[in-house]
Amino acid sequence: MASVATLLVAGTPAMVASAGPSDAESARQRAVWAGSWAAAVTRGNATGLTNNGLNDQSVRMIVHTTVGGPQFRVRLSNSYGEQAVRVGRATVAKPNTSTPDDLSDIDTSTLRELTFGGATSATMNRGAELVSDPVALAVGDQQDLVLTVHFPTPTGPVTFHGQSRQTNFIGATDLTSAAGGAGFTIRPNCCWFFLSGIDVQRRHSPGSVVVFGDSIADGNGSTVNANKRWPDLLADRLIDARPDVRTPGVLNLSLAGNRLNHEGTEPGAGGFPGYHELGPNALARLDEDVFAQTDARTVITHLGINDIWMSGDSAEQIIASLRQINQQVKARGLRSLVSTLTPYEGHGNPGVWTPEKEATRQAVNAYLRGSDEFDGLLDFDRVLRDPAQPSRLLPAYDSGDHIHPNDAGNQALANAVPLRLLGL
């Protein structure tokens, strides 16, 4: 957050003797903020909890950072809210891994209260973001953090990320200091509520890699509570390869069901109804989900398969949007990488996959393989496809729904990213 400017009061000398900044102060001045974790957020759905919102309830959410630092800050978002939202109190801690319910239990020795401009409560204006003051708690690489927020008054429809692949917790009243999870009676395997990012302070930063994708990067098909999405596994690989301040953060700004050219609420083939949580079209997401990320340097775009199976878009329509994303990413001075579209024959009801839609996928991939417009290509189709049936996932990588990779498939995708394309 910006520091408060020093004011010169009338009658006060303009210059005073000073011994100079302390070593600690000099270190703080040299430090930079870097993105360590992020999530794309959308409006609450038309029915259910995310539409009804929260009222005198606490939400306990677990996030898994990529890179660490001596302190961090939390970014909350009311971007899609219909009213101002009151944050009564918020805390953060590391998990207590020695208890049976180590997902919700916290290590109270690490409990820190979040403040906002020095205050322990704050209001998120409608459509706005709220950034905490720096939290004096060291965070390690690949560190789990437990964030608990109390919303004392009705929030209205929430701003949220629907496909967390992580159990989160909801309970009545203010539970922000609760050591255990007994009071959290609602435990969905989904949903980060009003939470959009964690930035860490680092001595130097090579920036962050933004993964701009759909459910394949969002983790559908991966093990819940295991951080086995391929962007998580890419972060593991980067840290193993370069465990120092030169390691970039990996920010997963993917949305399950997202499309290049269509809104999340638009229905799709096979009786798919559409939902708010699938987000707006990808080009409309660029400003909020890519360009607003802290110190983003590289963008990996893996989108388009949902436009094929849900909406029946042509190869020309998909290619045009991928080219436009590439153009805008490069105009911001960021490295632009793109991925081929992966197989999905066997997924869904009749009409979801057809030979004509497969021809569209192949045409998009042929264009991407032959294009020199992007800064690099990740050929995820080649990684996941069955050589004997190239329109299908390799069985060893299939989560069972014939479109999403399992943990082994996610690992294969992470392993296939050439580190040189990330500037490493």
Side-chain angles (χ1 to χ4, degrees):
M1 298 182 66
S3 60
V4 179
T6 302
L7 301 178
L8 294 178
V9 181
T12 301
M15 297 180 64
V16 296
S18 173
S22 66
D23 290 344
E25 179 63 24
S26 295
R28 282 193 294 271
Q29 291 172 355
R30 291 193 303 269
V32 295
W33 288 105
S36 181
W37 178 90
V41 293
T42 64
R43 187 203 182 278
N45 288 315
T47 60
L49 171 64
T50 60
N51 184 70
N52 298 333
L54 303 163
N55 182 16
D56 192 20
Q57 290 171 291
S58 295
V59 180
R60 179 160 284 182
M61 299 170 284
I62 291 84
V63 299
H64 187 70
T65 65
T66 56
V67 293
Q71 55 182 354
F72 63 94
R73 64 189 181 191
V74 175
R75 290 188 286 118
L76 303 176
S77 176
N78 189 28
S79 296
Y80 291 88
E82 296 182 353
Q83 63 188 58
V85 172
R86 186 69 177 165
V87 175
R89 189 166 178 251
T91 61
V92 67
K94 296 178 182 179
N96 184 349
T97 57
S98 66
T99 68
D101 194 2
D102 61 359
L103 288 175
S104 62
D105 295 356
I106 62 172
D107 177 355
T108 55
S109 69
T110 66
L111 185 67
R112 302 289 188 273
E113 190 159 32
L114 294 187
T115 59
F116 307 90
T120 56
S121 61
T123 296
M124 290 190 285
N125 290 344
R126 179 180 178 178
E129 186 175 66
L130 181 66
V131 181
S132 78
D133 300 331
V135 179
L137 179 66
V139 178
D141 294 340
Q142 302 169 293
Q143 171 73 64
D144 283 350
L145 291 174
V146 184
L147 177 75
T148 312
V149 186
H150 177 229
F151 298 97
T153 56
T155 64
V158 303
T159 293
F160 83 121
H161 182 93
Q163 186 57 265
S164 64
R165 306 302 291 175
Q166 173 70 56
T167 305
N168 290 300
F169 306 86
I170 303 171
T173 71
D174 183 354
L175 301 174
T176 53
S177 296
F184 295 96
T185 56
I186 303 172
R187 301 186 168 202
N189 289 333
C190 79
C191 308
W192 290 301
F193 295 93
F194 297 105
L195 177 62
S196 60
I198 304 286
D199 298 333
V200 297
Q201 199 174 67
R202 308 183 75 185
R203 288 189 292 112
H204 306 283
S205 175
S208 57
V209 177
V210 174
V211 178
F212 189 49
D214 52 33
S215 57
I216 293 172
D218 210 9
N220 292 45
S222 67
T223 300
V224 174
N225 298 324
N227 301 305
K228 295 295 185 180
R229 313 163 194 86
W230 75 255
D232 297 322
L233 299 171
L234 175 61
D236 295 349
R237 184 174 166 223
L238 291 172
I239 290 165
D240 289 342
R242 182 169 286 180
D244 57 27
V245 296
R246 296 173 296 165
T247 306
V250 178
L251 308 179
N252 191 352
L253 277 302
S254 301
L255 280 174
N258 196 234
R259 285 171 274 184
L260 289 165
N261 300 318
H262 302 273
E263 304 307 299
T265 51
E266 291 184 38
F272 189 83
Y275 304 97
H276 284 295
E277 70 181 82
L278 310 187
N281 71 83
L283 283 158
R285 292 208 288 133
L286 280 172
D287 280 344
E288 176 184 331
D289 291 344
V290 176
F291 302 142
Q293 297 307 313
T294 304
D295 202 17
R297 306 280 183 89
T298 300
V299 180
I300 299 173
T301 301
H302 187 200
L303 288 159
I305 198 66
N306 293 327
D307 295 83
I308 295 176
W309 81 256
M310 286 188 195
S311 306
D313 281 9
S314 68
E316 291 75 19
Q317 290 171 306
I318 293 167
I319 290 167
S321 291
L322 290 173
R323 293 183 70 195
Q324 182 60 214
I325 289 172
N326 178 61
Q327 183 175 339
Q328 293 191 36
V329 167
K330 284 188 165 184
R332 297 295 184 110
L334 307 179
R335 183 182 293 108
S336 178
L337 309 181
V338 69
S339 170
T340 52
L341 306 183
T342 50
Y344 77 98
E345 183 180 358
H347 176 65
N349 295 324
V352 168
W353 184 93
T354 65
E356 293 76 18
K357 291 179 179 181
E358 175 65 13
T360 298
R361 186 180 74 89
Q362 294 292 353
V364 172
N365 286 349
Y367 160 77
L368 293 174
R369 291 185 180 114
S371 174
D372 60 1
E373 297 178 55
F374 300 85
D375 292 318
L377 175 72
L378 310 180
D379 200 342
F380 284 173
D381 169 52
R382 194 179 302 275
V383 174
L384 292 185
R385 72 191 183 197
D386 183 348
Q389 296 179 289
S391 59
R392 290 180 174 268
L393 291 178
L394 188 71
Y397 292 160
D398 191 343
S399 67
D401 67 3
H402 311 305
I403 190 171
H404 298 109
N406 57 19
D407 292 353
N410 277 287
Q411 187 67 67
L413 293 179
N415 292 344
V417 178
L419 298 189
R420 61 177 175 77
L421 293 182
L422 306 180
L424 301 177

